């Protein structure tokens, strides 16, 4: 129930909190994981505590599938060597944007069937493979999905996505849509 702080930690191989439930703040800011980080099926339930994943370095894969973020969450400037799997992730805070500004993903970023209760910001993100937002949705009217200055190496896929706010794509560099 209290805070969890792994900021600036250096983890030699794999870090997993798969299926864990956190009720307070979680800080992995600027942590380094040599191989894989797994938050699949993890719940961050506090609506008032910050989840800080900003500046992380993950050598291979970052798993967030089916994770729930009830409060403010920051992924800004995180670097993932291979893939970011955020299929069916849920960002349920209606006041705070999910912040992915300046992230870098070496291969694919998958947000298929993701739920954004507010805005999502992917400005200046670099995704060297494909960026899958198929069947993703936002639930708050007028909350933008910001993809400004986004770079995608292969295809940005929005098939079946439903966003109640605008999609901001100015200055995006896309190989295919």
């Amino acid at each position: 129930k209290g805070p969890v702080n792994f900021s600036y930690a250096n983890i030699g191989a794999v870090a997993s909190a798969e299926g864990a439930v956190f009720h307070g703040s979680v800080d992995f800011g600027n942590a380094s994981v040599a191989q894989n980080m797994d938050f699949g099926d993890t719940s961050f339930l506090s609506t008032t505590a910050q989840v800080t994943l900003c500046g992380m370095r993950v050598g291979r894969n970052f798993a967030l599938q089916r994770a729930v973020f009830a409060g403010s969450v920051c992924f800004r400037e995180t670097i993932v060597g291979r893939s970011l799997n955020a299929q069916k992730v849920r960002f349920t805070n209606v006041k705070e944007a999910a912040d992915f500004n300046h992230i870098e993903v070496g291969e694919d970023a998958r947000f298929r069937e993701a739920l954004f209760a507010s805005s999502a910001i992917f400005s200046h993100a670099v995704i060297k493979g494909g960026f899958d937002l198929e069947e993703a949705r936002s639930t708050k009217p007028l909350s933008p999905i910001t993809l400004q200055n986004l770079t995608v190496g292969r295809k940005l896929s929005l098939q079946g996505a439903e966003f109640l706010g605008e999609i901001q794509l100015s200055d995006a560099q896309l190989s295919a849509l």
Side-chain angles (χ1 to χ4, degrees):
K1 294 199 183 261
V4 174
N5 189 343
F6 284 95
S7 63
Y8 293 95
N10 287 307
I11 300 169
V14 175
S16 178
E18 183 178 11
V21 177
F22 296 99
H23 295 277
S25 65
V26 176
D27 187 352
F28 276 86
N30 298 297
S32 178
V33 180
Q35 294 180 18
N36 301 321
M37 182 74 202
D38 189 353
F39 280 130
D41 297 304
T42 300
S43 296
F44 302 88
L45 298 180
S46 175
T47 58
T48 58
Q50 171 84 26
V51 176
T52 303
L53 304 169
C54 298
M56 284 189 68
R57 304 294 182 260
V58 179
R60 292 186 184 162
N61 304 307
F62 196 168
L64 296 168
Q65 70 275 6
R66 296 175 304 279
V68 176
F69 294 90
S72 177
V73 60
C74 175
F75 292 89
R76 189 177 331 111
E77 298 178 358
T78 291
I79 298 174
V80 179
R82 290 189 184 161
S83 68
L84 173 59
N85 180 2
Q87 295 183 91
K88 297 184 180 181
V89 67
R90 296 184 323 190
F91 300 97
T92 61
N93 189 304
V94 297
K95 295 179 182 176
E96 300 282 340
D99 184 356
F100 292 90
N101 272 313
H102 294 274
I103 66 162
E104 185 177 315
V105 180
E107 294 177 7
D108 296 332
R110 292 182 296 278
F111 285 81
R112 182 180 296 252
E113 296 182 56
L115 169 72
F116 301 97
S118 185
S119 301
I121 305 169
F122 292 92
S123 295
H124 301 277
V126 176
I127 299 169
K128 295 179 181 175
F131 188 14
D132 180 357
L133 283 164
E134 290 184 8
E135 299 180 39
R137 61 191 174 99
S138 67
T139 58
K140 185 176 179 183
L142 305 178
S143 291
I145 304 298
T146 305
L147 306 174
Q148 294 170 324
N149 295 296
L150 169 72
T151 301
V152 177
R154 287 200 307 264
K155 181 180 180 181
L156 170 62
S157 182
L158 297 166
Q159 184 175 354
E162 182 180 349
F163 301 120
L164 297 183
E166 68 180 340
I167 299 175
Q168 299 173 349
L169 278 165
S170 62
D171 298 317
Q173 298 177 28
L174 309 173
S175 294
L177 180 62

